């Protein structure tokens, strides 16, 4: 059944208090006007914008009307100035209404009406309503219908911990609460908003809606119970209200779906069966559900969680990737892009940065500029933060190509774990164009609650915003957070890039044009690099004891240790080496669907530089780069070589990798090293004759033992730290 969320016709009079006592007059605005319904909250939010949350004069018995007059004059001036800012003139009707409102203001001022006179409030409300209609005009014209969800604020001790599967190795309640609902909302020409419920669960929660290209269906994630169900994908048909479950499986969580132009649905899932390197929590990678809904294919093979995929106007997928191979775990949560078939996975913004700590909920602005609207957030936080505009024409790292908006302000590059969690909070921005945004917003912010969690004085509402920070409340419920707004309208499909993936092929090919190109080899003499080493990463599925890592990027527990303190996060397999040509080029094959990184070696086999990230190829994919960590906008530096034709590496087929050792019979090349299997026999042959750990009791400096019997084994009841 439809329900009216906002009643803003010019005939409605908001009445908050018939009289205000002297005691009440000394209270701030937010205390004197408790918002328990939408109309009260809307009025309160206008006051927040125009006079601040702690004003002690407006509409009180202590006011003689001068402050109210100044406030209303300010709003009337904004009506005219904001129209000019939008590049338009006031309509004859609006101009007439402004004139009439000014006349009423003059009458009140001449009467010396006190601030407690309800006519001040009513006049202010009518002025704000007229201002609201001007602000919302373009949105009402372009995107009047929306869907949104209501649920608790997602995240936990870490922004990515949202899946919470029923068979988790570590079950933690990060402030989740029962109840979730999917709504359809419509903004009327008079600025009122009406909504109706589409799907509801009282015992679980519902999240992550996306609208199909023809606006006939909605896909979302839902769990019907926190004890007996997991997140699965569902599809809702708007024509007949039919609800269809799309994915299944106990102990699996499928979240954050989005429709691809091909008809597939891309989503995050714990089907990756891996654990976070620094905690006992499951992670999600990207998977795709086929257009006929019969097959699920894995698209990313990443270290930890991949978040919030969305389709850009050019037909690629933008998403957040948590990335900490051979570096700290806190800061690299930047943006990546890929083609819809999983090829072309590459950094988009912030992969080599401390700031922003995390970039969340990113959506490309639909004007083909390449700019992105996102949330700048922290690491050990929930999914909320500040509103961020990314323009890569200024750069792709730190604060070079991004700025805080609403309002536009200085954006320093700061190294802070829980960045952006103080003051007002934003979530899930959706850009209608380059100056009209719909976003979930909490003006009061929230307070930390120990040991884990946050306390919310109010609930997130859905707002209209522009980059300067002007805003209008659209939807708000005092009992539950409103989130994840998405326009309910047909969209033009981006051009679908023909897929190069061939599942019958087991390899992909990398091409490096010139390893010396880029800042990471600055100062290295040309000719120094003789080979490129390929190292594969293997991510573990379970907690296996723990130790700790620490460094400039913070300290962390390591839940998948491969050695003593401050060693690598993951198991690594040296797949082999390939030659680097005299002109700096290399062309080689690697196993497909395998995360790998590269090291550059000199003539002695010593490492000159290493890659602190990873790359993954799909079967039959070709991926090329200019150099090592060069800017995404750089062209080849070695123009002299290119002028002569292809580089030396491209003048012959891709080079197979030369393995650094031959594994025992029956052991696959990528099995990796085993100390017991590969190293202990060497010690037995050459070392243990002396290093037996045995000797006369009075003998000094008994050689330490290198026998197999002395390998460390923790005894039951001892510390689980290595």
């Amino acid at each position: 059944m439809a329900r009216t969320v906002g009643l803003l016709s010019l005939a409605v009079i908001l009445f908050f208090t018939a009289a205000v006592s002297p005691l009440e007059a000394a209270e701030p605005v937010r205390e004197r006007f408790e918002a328990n319904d939408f109309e009260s909250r809307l009025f309160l939010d206008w006051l927040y914008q125009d006079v601040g949350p702690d004003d002690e004069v407006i509409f009180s018995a202590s006011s003689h009307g001068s402050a109210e007059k100044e406030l209303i004059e300010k709003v009337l001036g904004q009506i005219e100035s904001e129209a000019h800012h939008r590049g338009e003139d006031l309509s004859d009707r609006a101009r007439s209404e402004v004139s009439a409102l000014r006349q009423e203001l003059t009458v009140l001022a001449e009467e010396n009406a006190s601030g407690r006179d309800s006519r001040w409030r009513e006049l202010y409300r009518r002025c704000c309503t007229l201002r609201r209609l001007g602000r919302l005009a373009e949105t009402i014209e372009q995107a009047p219908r929306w869907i949104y969800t209501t649920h608790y604020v997602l995240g936990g001790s870490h922004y990515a911990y949202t899946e919470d599967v029923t068979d988790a190795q570590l079950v933690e309640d990060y402030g989740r609460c029962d109840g979730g609902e999917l709504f359809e909302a419509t903004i009327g020409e008079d600025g009122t908003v009406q909504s109706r419920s589409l799907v509801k669960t009282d015992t679980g929660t519902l999240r992550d809606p996306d609208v199909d290209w023809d606006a006939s269906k909605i896909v979302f994630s839902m769990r019907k119970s926190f004890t007996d169900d997991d997140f699965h994908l569902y599809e809702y048909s708007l024509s007949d209200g039919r609800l269809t479950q799309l994915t299944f499986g106990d102990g699996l969580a499928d979240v954050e779906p989005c429709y691809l132009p091909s008809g597939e649905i891309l989503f995050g899932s714990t089907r990756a069966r891996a654990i976070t390197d620094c905690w006992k929590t499951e992670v999600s990678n990207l998977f795709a559900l086929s257009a006929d809904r019969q097959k699920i294919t894995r698209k990313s093979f990443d270290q930890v969680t991949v978040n919030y995929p969305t389709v850009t106007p050019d037909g690629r997928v933008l998403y957040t990737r948590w990335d900490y191979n051979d570096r700290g775990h806190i800061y690299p949560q930047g943006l990546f892009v890929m083609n819809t078939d999983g090829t072309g996975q590459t950094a988009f913004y912030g992969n080599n940065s401390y700031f922003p700590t995390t970039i969340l909920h990113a959506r490309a602005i639909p004007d083909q500029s390449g700019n992105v609207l996102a949330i700048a957030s922290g690491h050990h936080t929930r999914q909320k933060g500040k509103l961020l505009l990314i323009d890569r024409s200024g750069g792709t790292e730190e604060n070079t190509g991004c700025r805080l908006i609403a309002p536009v302000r200085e954006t320093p590059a700061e190294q802070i774990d829980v960045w952006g969690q103080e003051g007002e909070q934003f979530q899930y921005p959706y850009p209608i164009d380059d100056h009209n945004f719909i976003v979930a917003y909490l003006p009061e912010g929230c307070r930390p609650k120990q040991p884990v969690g946050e306390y919310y004085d109010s609930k997130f509402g859905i707002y209209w915003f522009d980059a300067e920070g002007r805003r209008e409340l659209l939807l708000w419920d005092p009992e539950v957070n409103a989130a994840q707004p998405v326009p309910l309208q047909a969209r033009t499909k981006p051009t679908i890039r023909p897929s190069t993936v061939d599942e019958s092929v087991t390899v992909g090919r990398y091409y490096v044009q010139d390893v010396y190109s880029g800042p990471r080899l600055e100062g290295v003499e040309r000719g120094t690099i003789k080979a490129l080493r390929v190292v594969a990463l293997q991510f573990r599925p379970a907690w296996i004891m723990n130790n700790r890592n620490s460094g400039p990027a913070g300290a962390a527990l390591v839940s998948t240790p491969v050695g003593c303190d401050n060693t690598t996060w993951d198991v690594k397999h040296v797949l082999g080496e390939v030659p680097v040509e005299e002109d700096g080029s290399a062309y080689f094959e690697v196993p497909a669907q395998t995360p790998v990184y590269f090291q550059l070696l000199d003539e002695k086999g010593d490492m000159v530089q290493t890659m602190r990230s990873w790359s993954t190829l799909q079967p039959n994919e070709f991926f090329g780069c200019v150099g090592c960590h060069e800017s995404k906008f750089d062209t080849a530096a070695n123009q002299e070589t290119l002028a002569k034709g292809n580089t030396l590496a491209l003048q012959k087929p891709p080079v197979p990798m030369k393995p650094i050792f031959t594994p025992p019979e029956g052991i696959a090349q990528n099995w990796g090293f085993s100390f017991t299997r590969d190293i202990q026999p060497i010690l037995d042959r050459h070392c243990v004759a002396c290093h037996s750990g045995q000797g006369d009791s009075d003998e000094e400096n008994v050689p330490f033992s290198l026998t197999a019997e002395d390998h460390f084994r923790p005894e039951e009841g001892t510390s689980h730290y290595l």
Side-chain angles (χ1 to χ4, degrees), residues 37 61 65 76 201 327 339 363 390 393 407 416 445 629-631 660:
D37 58 83
L76 291 172
T201 173
R327 52 180 173 175
N339 299 317
R363 288 189 183 272
I390 298 175
S393 64
I416 301 173
H629 289 275
E630 80 284 357
S631 166
I660 64 170

Side-chain angles (χ1 to χ4, degrees), residues 430-633:
Y430 201 109
I432 302 168
D433 52 37
D434 61 356
H435 56 283
N436 287 287
F437 316 137
I438 304 295
V439 61
Y441 176 64
L442 180 63
E444 300 97 328
C446 52
R447 301 194 301 268
K449 182 175 65 177
Q450 298 299 326
V452 174
E454 289 156 334
Y455 177 79
Y456 297 86
D457 293 306
S458 184
K459 301 298 181 183
F460 277 88
I462 304 295
Y463 283 75
W464 168 90
F465 261 88
D466 67 8
E468 286 74 27
R470 290 178 280 264
R471 69 179 189 254
E472 289 293 335
L473 176 63
L474 299 176
L475 298 155
W476 181 77
D477 188 314
E479 302 298 327
V480 65
N481 295 289
Q484 301 179 312
V486 180
L488 185 55
Q489 60 185 23
R491 298 169 291 160
T492 301
K493 289 184 180 181
T495 301
I496 301 176
R497 180 182 181 273
S499 177
T500 60
V501 175
D502 183 348
E503 296 289 350
S504 67
V505 178
T506 61
V507 298
R509 291 160 290 161
Y510 282 108
Y511 168 62
V512 184
Q513 187 166 284
D514 183 2
V515 298
Y516 300 99
S517 179
R520 294 302 174 259
L521 260 72
E522 186 176 347
V524 176
E525 184 178 352
R526 186 169 288 276
T528 301
I529 307 302
K530 301 301 182 181
L532 182 150
R533 177 185 292 150
V534 181
V535 185
L537 297 171
Q538 180 177 331
F539 309 132
R540 292 184 174 176
W543 171 279
I544 52 165
M545 306 171 60
N546 59 274
N547 60 15
R548 300 194 70 84
N549 278 350
S550 63
L557 178 147
V558 184
S559 56
T560 60
V562 297
C564 296
D565 287 359
N566 259 29
T567 57
T568 182
W569 295 100
D570 301 291
V571 175
K572 299 179 177 181
H573 308 293
V574 179
L575 300 183
E577 299 172 1
V578 296
V580 173
E581 305 291 344
E582 292 181 3
D583 61 359
S585 62
Y587 182 33
F588 53 97
E589 291 182 343
V590 301
Q593 299 180 334
T594 303
V596 298
Y597 70 98
F598 311 124
Q599 296 177 330
L600 299 178
L601 312 178
D602 63 14
E603 61 183 2
K604 297 180 179 179
D606 292 339
M607 184 185 72
V608 177
Q609 187 57 276
T610 186
M611 176 179 171
R612 296 193 175 199
S613 185
W614 67 89
S615 179
T616 307
L617 298 184
Q618 300 295 336
N620 197 46
E621 180 180 357
F622 173 89
F623 191 95
C625 56
V626 174
C628 295
H629 289 275
E630 80 284 357
S631 166
K632 296 295 181 183
F633 304 105

